[in-house]
Amino acid sequence: MKIVLAPDSFKESMTATEAVAAMSAGVQQVLPDAECIGVPMADGGEGTVDAVVDALHGQHIAAQVSGPLGATITARYGYIPLRQLAVIEMAAASGLELVPPDERDVLRASTFGVGQLISSALDRGAEEILIGLGGSATNDGGAGMLTALGASFVDADGATLEPGGAALRHLDRIDVSGLDPRLRDVRINVATDVTAPLLGPTGASAVFGPQKGATPADVQTLESALTQLASVTSATLGKASPQLPGNGAAGGLGFALVEFLGADSKPGVDEVAATVGLEQAVRGADWVFTGEGSVDAQTVMGKTPFGVAQAATRNGARVVIFAGRVAPDAYVLLEHGVERLVAITAEGTPIEQALREGAESLTRATAEVCRQITGS
């Protein structure tokens, strides 16, 4: 029997790799002769670097970069030398969690540090870069990232704009002549589970700005600024597609990556799956076990368990999703090729205990499922 173990992280309890190990231990208790293949997974958000580095036997690289509000911080990214592949989570340099709640300033926050991580990856010889978008503190349309890579954003007087999204209201010209020439030879893939466009009521500022501390007035300021960015981008490049799904991800960072750097943007779980070779792994599998901390009806909107289940069913494998919490509405997943939903924690268990005992609970639940599917 071939069983593929492809979970996401169980937030605050296990990394994806630790979840693979816990599942494997459960399988081995019941099916010691089973062919067990572990493929740590993620959807482009937190845990993407760890999942890809572990799946592809890469390494973690530390770099000194500028944080969201300009302070120097240490950020990590992943690098797989054999593939000359760098894996970056934008939140490592420009994430909301890097700024204390009482210091957050979405009008000034910049993605400059993301550009520095890309530059570091190029210094290592990267020919391919996977960038996970999510958890941003920023709403600068990627202007900070492009500035770090050599572009210039100036006002009508020729003065360089201050960092942050609000300053883009005064944008008159973008000079891309200084962009790092190595960018022409690198393939950039963007992983996000956000389909928001850059502008409008479902765009970066309106939907995600308030989550980063933006007031209604701030949202109007940022919407105006990104509208100006889109206009000047169109004049600079001869075209721009602010309405493209995903271009509003990470405060418009998706827009800059796609429009200026020619990045290919896909749903996060699909991008990660392609990078780690999930499709190849599930070929010929009898069962695929996946999961994450919590599953509900929103899981079908592109979360890891759903993406893994789709790959499994395409290849004729049966699917079990494990989770710390299975919401009542999660059973919609049973209409999408998932055979079983398994809560690994007993109802009523205190959250601290559930998180602490996550690996043990996942091992126990996996062993029980293996007994059930083999009738032993």
Side-chain angles (χ1 to χ4, degrees):
M1 182 180 293
K2 178 180 177 180
I3 303 176
V4 174
L5 313 175
D8 201 331
S9 62
F10 284 60
K11 193 170 184 179
E12 298 183 60
S13 181
M14 293 171 279
T15 66
T17 299
E18 289 169 341
V20 166
M23 286 179 167
S24 180
V27 172
Q28 293 305 308
Q29 287 180 18
V30 182
L31 299 168
D33 296 326
E35 178 188 3
C36 234
I37 298 176
V39 186
M41 280 292 299
D43 61 10
E46 181 184 1
T48 296
V49 166
D50 289 341
V52 176
V53 165
D54 290 343
L56 300 180
H57 310 292
Q59 59 197 77
H60 290 95
I61 307 298
Q64 298 295 302
V65 303
S66 177
L69 297 179
T72 299
I73 62 171
T74 300
R76 292 191 320 155
Y77 65 95
Y79 193 68
I80 292 83
L82 287 178
R83 287 182 48 174
Q84 294 179 291
L85 164 68
V87 188
I88 294 171
E89 292 175 23
M90 75 80 59
S94 302
L96 191 62
E97 293 188 0
L98 297 174
V99 187
D102 60 347
E103 296 179 19
R104 290 173 183 170
D105 188 347
V106 69
L107 298 179
R108 292 195 305 112
S110 170
T111 53
F112 193 89
V114 179
Q116 291 175 301
L117 289 181
I118 293 172
S119 182
S120 176
L122 295 174
D123 290 343
R124 288 193 166 265
E127 296 181 355
E128 180 180 359
I129 301 176
L130 171 64
I131 303 180
L133 304 188
S136 70
T138 55
N139 206 101
D140 73 347
M145 174 200 69
L146 292 171
T147 299
L149 292 170
S152 297
F153 291 73
V154 299
D155 63 18
D157 296 325
T160 301
L161 295 183
E162 293 292 318
L168 294 170
R169 289 174 298 168
H170 308 297
L171 179 64
D172 181 71
R173 182 169 55 87
I174 304 171
D175 183 356
V176 296
S177 63
L179 273 176
D180 192 324
R182 297 175 296 178
L183 291 165
R184 292 194 290 266
D185 300 317
V186 69
R187 185 167 70 255
I188 299 177
N189 296 311
V190 174
T192 177
D193 61 1
V194 170
T195 59
L198 182 69
L199 305 171
T202 60
S205 303
V207 175
F208 303 106
Q211 299 175 14
K212 305 168 190 180
T215 65
D218 292 339
V219 169
Q220 291 184 2
T221 295
L222 293 168
E223 182 72 8
S224 174
L226 293 185
T227 299
Q228 181 66 7
L229 173 64
S231 175
V232 178
T233 295
S234 181
T236 302
L237 303 179
K239 64 178 182 62
S241 302
Q243 76 282 359
L244 195 68
N247 270 4
L253 180 60
F255 175 77
L257 287 164
V258 170
E259 301 298 333
F260 287 90
L261 303 187
D264 182 24
S265 180
K266 293 181 181 178
V269 65
D270 294 344
E271 200 67 78
V272 175
T275 301
V276 301
L278 177 67
E279 197 84 27
Q280 296 91 326
V282 299
R283 286 176 188 154
D286 298 288
W287 290 89
V288 173
F289 294 170
T290 184
E292 61 181 351
S294 177
V295 295
D296 55 28
Q298 297 301 309
T299 300
V300 302
M301 302 302 291
K303 296 298 184 181
T304 295
F306 182 70
V308 171
Q310 287 187 307
T313 54
R314 280 196 300 270
N315 288 275
R318 301 162 75 180
V319 182
V320 179
I321 294 179
F322 297 85
R325 170 183 173 272
V326 177
D329 61 4
Y331 287 88
V332 68
L333 288 160
L334 300 180
E335 301 171 9
H336 294 276
V338 176
E339 184 159 318
R340 302 178 187 214
L341 296 170
V342 179
I344 68 172
T345 304
E347 189 172 347
T349 303
I351 184 63
E352 297 82 3
Q353 179 184 347
L355 295 174
R356 185 175 63 251
E357 298 176 354
E360 178 184 342
S361 299
L362 182 56
T363 295
R364 184 168 54 248
T366 304
E368 179 57 29
V369 165
C370 288
R371 292 188 189 96
Q372 292 171 2
I373 66 179
T374 59
S376 58

